[in-house]
Amino acid sequence: MAQKKVLLKERLILSYISVVFISLFISILFSYTLFILTVNKRLDPEITGAKETMEGRISELMEKSLIFTDIISREKEALSFLKNELSRDGTIEDLRRFNSKAGLDILQILDQNGKVLLSLENPSVEPYSKINDNLVQKGLRGYKNSSFQIEDGKPSIVSIVPIQENGKTYGALLGGFTVTNQLLNKIEGSLHKKISVFDLNGYLFATTIEDKNGVRVSDQRIDQNTLIKLKEGQKFVRARVNIEDIRYRVLYSMIGNFEGKDSFIIMIALPLETIIADNNRTIGILVFANLITVVIALSFAMKNSKDLIDPIYTIKKGTEIVGSGNLDYKINVSTDDEITDLANSFNDMTKRIKTLLDEVSDEKNIASTERNKFFTVFEGVLDGILTLDYDRRITLFNKAAEEITGLSSKDVLGKKCDEVLLFFKNKVRLPSSEFCTLKEADKDQTIFSDNNLKLVTSKKDLFVSLTSSVIKEGKLANLGCILTFQDTTRERELEEMKLDFVSMAAHELRTPLTSIRGYISLLEPKIKGIINENDMKFLERIDISASQLSTLIENLLDVSKIEHDSLEIEVKKEEWVEIVEASVEGFKDLAKEKEIKLSFKEPKSTIPPVAIDKFRISEVLSNLLANALNFTNEGGEVTVTIGIDNGFIKTIIKDTGCGIPERAIPHLFTKFYRVTGILEKGSKGTGLGLYISKSIVSMHGGKIWVESKLGVGSSFSFTVPIFSMAEATKSSSL
């Protein structure tokens, strides 16, 4: 069953009502809390006031007791009685007459030993059987004194005055008041609260509390927990008690005598019915006021919700129209508030969406056109092109790629590159992770290039030149790399034929050339001095040309061996510093002849032995030194330095020659390449020296590179491995 939708108008009305009722609840809760706090706050000062009133009243009674007792003692009757000059009955009659004005509850005459000889007591007060000895002794020693004390279980105010004549004390007169219900009535009249007095054990002395019949209650007693708290020093103890079915909120407190000792406990009581009635009246007024507020709020909510909801319904209708596709629709709302701003913002948004959709449509058409152009070019390119995603799966495969590999697009699209295209380098499998690393690039660049790879597919085997590139947006477009390749099988076959021819020609030329050089070396010393000087120069030039031709033949044979993987090296432990020094020393005469400074800088640290083929690496050194001297002008400088670099020994041959054009540097180490321009004038080589040098260094596991600036000079560097025990028996071939 579908859940019923609650309309916004209903929500607003409910929210108004909720606010009002929550306010009502908070008001009632606040009133009750205030009631509890008010009771406590009212009782605290009232119990303090009651104590102060009680203590003040006691002070007044003590003063009154002392004054009245002193006045009576001055009369001659008490002295005459002690001197046996007046009878007992006459003395009692006189004392009653005097006490009728004083109103003392007790009046006694004591002899010199403190013995009560005569006692005049209030009929409503139980007679005293014992008076405080300390008080009596003070009176008999001639001192007037008053005290608040418990006598015979009754709280009393007692004064004593000595009866003297001519400095002699005949006895004492003792008078006082007892704390009774009548005394509490007088105190209650000033407090307007009920009062009870208890002894230190919690038993009732006196009270002003009456039952429903107007009779003073007599069975009150303080509970033990309250007594313990008061005796432990707690100033006030609050409690609720029921006395004759009437609930009271009470406070208990200790009252002490004037010697600093606790004497009795006072209880101040407030009937809760009076306070609750006042609080209920307050709550009733609040409830009535809140109900009126509810009625007013509902009226306001109905009107306000209509003013608020109608524009929202208008906006809702507008959004439905726009959502159906009518972007020209405008919402008209005029409330001069945030709803109008919302409608205007929606209209502006609709306008911008329409503009953006138009722009997107135009961009889509342009993109479609560009896509068509791209695929036209993509399919028309003669080079094979394919793309790999970040899972190295083939996503594009052009027609040229189909023709070169013999595979159709449907055979390869969606498949991993290593499943359908197998690349080999020198008979070693080259996985796609080598030429498609999937690393993010910060710019478009080529990450792999090799002109001599073998490609094996299910249809054919061939040789290709492969280039791998990446674009900086590759991650976003899921484009791992772009592979471009050309079929070099025919070129490789022609290169093989050319190398076979060169190798055959070199072998055929080597034998007669060796004979020519041998005969010249035999003939030259025999005819020296016989033929003239010019003829001798001709013979020397023949020898030089034969030597150059022999070098060319050897280079051609080395190239043939490199291309056929038959050039061998024999690695041994060698002292590299000695080899470099010997090579430099061998070119000193040529450098001196060309007036070029050739130097070898001794390394600052010890150079360890290297693992090399001394003969082949010496060829590399000789080739680089010869090139440096050949392309350095008179007065220039060629410097050779060596050092340790990450487990290899790096050798640098730096000259101050004319430098190499930047465009020529990528081709320097390829076969038969010769730099055109100004360098061509001084070059007499075949373009094979650097190619052979690179091959020899690579066979040793090292690298060779060049840094050059036109007009400043060049710096050729190469590395060879440091010798280790594993190299001791190593012999490798390319």
Side-chain angles (χ1 to χ4, degrees), residues 453-508:
L453 293 179
K454 185 177 182 180
L455 174 61
V456 177
T457 71
S458 60
K459 301 293 184 180
K460 62 168 74 170
D461 296 355
L462 65 157
F463 289 93
V464 296
S465 173
L466 178 67
T467 300
S468 176
S469 304
V470 294
I471 61 174
K472 61 182 179 181
E473 299 87 358
K475 188 71 174 180
L476 183 63
N478 192 26
L479 181 59
C481 62
I482 303 171
L483 302 183
T484 305
F485 58 95
Q486 301 87 31
D487 186 354
T488 60
T489 304
R490 180 59 180 165
E491 289 83 352
R492 186 179 177 85
E493 290 175 352
L494 293 175
E495 185 71 17
E496 290 286 342
M497 293 173 61
K498 181 169 66 174
L499 288 173
D500 289 344
F501 172 75
V502 169
S503 178
M504 181 182 65
H507 277 92
E508 293 298 324

Side-chain angles (χ1 to χ4, degrees), residues 84-135:
N84 297 319
E85 295 175 356
L86 184 65
S87 66
R88 178 181 180 89
D89 293 337
T91 303
I92 291 175
E93 185 64 30
D94 289 338
L95 290 179
R96 284 178 179 169
R97 177 167 49 84
F98 295 143
N99 192 39
S100 62
K101 296 180 180 180
L104 298 175
D105 291 327
I106 181 173
L107 191 62
Q108 295 178 344
I109 297 175
L110 310 179
D111 64 11
Q112 291 178 330
N113 298 318
K115 180 180 179 182
V116 178
L117 300 179
L118 186 148
S119 178
L120 179 66
E121 297 180 354
N122 190 331
S124 63
V125 178
E126 295 181 4
Y128 286 90
S129 60
K130 183 180 181 182
I131 302 298
N132 188 291
D133 289 338
N134 292 331
L135 182 66

Side-chain angles (χ1 to χ4, degrees), residues 139-352:
L140 294 177
R141 287 198 297 269
Y143 297 101
K144 299 177 184 180
N145 201 0
S146 294
S147 176
F148 177 74
Q149 58 191 29
I150 304 296
E151 295 296 344
D152 286 344
K154 298 184 286 294
S156 304
I157 298 166
V158 181
S159 300
I160 193 164
V161 176
I163 300 174
Q164 297 175 323
E165 184 181 45
N166 298 324
K168 181 181 179 181
T169 301
Y170 289 91
L173 182 65
L174 186 143
F177 298 96
T178 303
V179 178
T180 60
N181 293 340
Q182 290 77 13
L183 178 61
L184 294 185
N185 286 337
K186 295 178 182 179
I187 298 175
E188 179 188 4
S190 60
L191 289 178
H192 306 291
K193 301 293 179 293
K194 299 298 181 181
I195 304 173
S196 294
V197 177
F198 301 86
D199 65 12
L200 296 180
N201 294 319
Y203 291 99
L204 182 67
F205 278 147
T207 183
T208 63
I209 299 176
E210 299 175 346
D211 60 15
K212 295 179 181 179
N213 298 321
V215 178
R216 300 289 175 95
V217 297
S218 59
D219 57 350
Q220 283 183 258
R221 187 177 179 185
I222 302 175
D223 64 89
Q224 289 300 314
N225 289 333
T226 302
L227 282 175
I228 291 172
K229 292 178 181 178
L230 290 170
K231 289 179 180 180
E232 287 177 350
Q234 189 168 327
K235 186 176 181 180
F236 299 127
V237 178
R238 296 185 182 88
R240 287 187 181 183
V241 297
N242 286 327
I243 303 175
E244 297 295 333
D245 296 328
I246 299 176
R247 294 182 298 168
Y248 290 90
R249 178 74 171 177
V250 302
L251 282 179
Y252 296 97
S253 181
M254 283 284 192
I255 295 293
N257 61 18
F258 291 92
E259 295 178 353
K261 297 180 180 180
D262 293 333
S263 297
F264 61 91
I265 301 170
I266 185 174
M267 180 189 81
I268 304 298
L270 277 173
L272 287 177
E273 281 71 10
T274 302
I275 300 173
I276 293 173
D278 293 340
N279 188 67
N280 289 339
R281 280 194 296 271
T282 303
I283 293 176
I285 294 171
L286 288 173
V287 171
F288 179 74
N290 276 277
L291 290 176
I292 294 176
T293 304
V294 169
V295 175
I296 296 172
L298 286 176
S299 301
F300 175 77
M302 295 295 292
K303 182 180 183 306
N304 190 46
S305 62
K306 185 178 187 308
D307 295 340
L308 181 64
I309 298 303
D310 288 349
I312 294 177
Y313 281 154
T314 302
I315 294 175
K316 178 177 178 292
K317 180 181 178 183
T319 58
E320 292 173 351
I321 294 173
V322 171
S324 65
N326 185 3
L327 297 177
D328 294 322
Y329 182 81
K330 303 294 181 186
I331 298 175
N332 295 315
V333 174
S334 300
T335 58
D336 296 328
D337 55 18
E338 290 85 351
I339 297 179
T340 299
D341 295 338
L342 176 62
N344 293 334
S345 298
F346 184 82
N347 291 334
D348 293 339
M349 181 186 68
T350 304
K351 183 179 179 180
R352 289 196 298 271

Side-chain angles (χ1 to χ4, degrees), residues 419-460:
E419 295 176 358
V420 292
L421 302 176
L422 306 180
F423 291 92
F424 293 87
K425 175 67 175 179
N426 299 328
K427 300 180 182 180
V428 178
R429 174 73 183 280
L430 185 69
S432 59
S433 58
E434 291 289 328
F435 52 80
C436 187
T437 59
L438 303 182
K439 294 181 179 178
E440 292 189 41
D442 55 1
K443 62 179 180 179
D444 300 347
Q445 59 183 330
T446 298
I447 60 172
F448 181 86
S449 180
D450 197 309
N451 298 324
N452 189 25
L453 293 179
K454 185 177 182 180
L455 174 61
V456 177
T457 71
S458 60
K459 301 293 184 180
K460 62 168 74 170

Side-chain angles (χ1 to χ4, degrees), residues 483-685:
L483 302 183
T484 305
F485 58 95
Q486 301 87 31
D487 186 354
T488 60
T489 304
R490 180 59 180 165
E491 289 83 352
R492 186 179 177 85
E493 290 175 352
L494 293 175
E495 185 71 17
E496 290 286 342
M497 293 173 61
K498 181 169 66 174
L499 288 173
D500 289 344
F501 172 75
V502 169
S503 178
M504 181 182 65
H507 277 92
E508 293 298 324
L509 289 173
R510 176 191 273 180
T511 301
L513 185 59
T514 302
S515 298
I516 292 172
R517 293 187 66 189
Y519 286 131
I520 290 175
S521 64
L522 291 174
L523 182 62
E524 187 175 5
K526 291 182 180 182
I527 63 175
K528 189 174 183 180
I530 299 176
I531 63 176
N532 59 39
E533 187 176 347
N534 287 333
D535 292 338
M536 194 66 187
K537 288 182 177 179
F538 292 151
L539 186 61
E540 289 176 355
R541 288 177 182 174
I542 293 172
D543 186 32
I544 292 172
S545 297
S547 178
Q548 291 176 345
L549 183 59
S550 177
T551 301
L552 173 61
I553 290 173
E554 291 300 326
N555 285 342
L556 289 173
L557 289 173
D558 285 343
V559 169
S560 178
K561 291 178 182 179
I562 291 171
E563 294 294 329
H564 287 88
D565 300 335
S566 60
L567 182 65
E568 296 181 354
I569 62 172
E570 186 176 352
V571 176
K572 293 182 179 179
K573 178 181 179 182
E574 302 288 352
E575 294 296 333
W576 184 241
V577 175
E578 295 177 2
I579 294 173
V580 175
E581 285 180 335
S583 296
V584 172
E585 191 65 30
F587 282 89
K588 282 290 182 72
D589 292 338
L590 178 60
K592 185 176 181 181
E593 180 183 337
K594 297 189 67 175
E595 298 184 9
I596 296 172
K597 182 181 178 180
L598 175 62
S599 62
F600 169 63
K601 290 187 177 180
E602 291 285 344
K604 295 180 180 180
S605 58
T606 303
I607 301 299
V610 293
I612 60 171
D613 183 320
K614 181 178 179 180
F615 174 74
R616 291 298 182 184
I617 288 295
S618 295
E619 285 186 45
V620 175
L621 277 170
S622 298
N623 187 19
L624 296 178
L625 287 169
N627 286 345
L629 293 171
N630 191 33
F631 293 104
T632 301
N633 296 326
E634 183 178 319
E637 184 178 355
V638 175
T639 306
V640 180
T641 58
I642 61 177
I644 300 175
D645 184 16
N646 294 326
F648 287 82
I649 302 299
K650 180 170 71 173
T651 305
I652 303 172
I653 301 173
K654 184 177 182 180
D655 63 58
T656 59
C658 52
I660 304 169
E662 186 176 353
R663 58 179 172 77
I665 290 178
H667 309 287
L668 278 180
F669 298 99
T670 56
K671 296 192 300 287
F672 303 110
Y673 181 78
R674 298 180 65 191
V675 181
T676 58
I678 188 171
L679 294 180
E680 194 175 14
K681 297 178 181 179
S683 175
K684 299 178 182 179

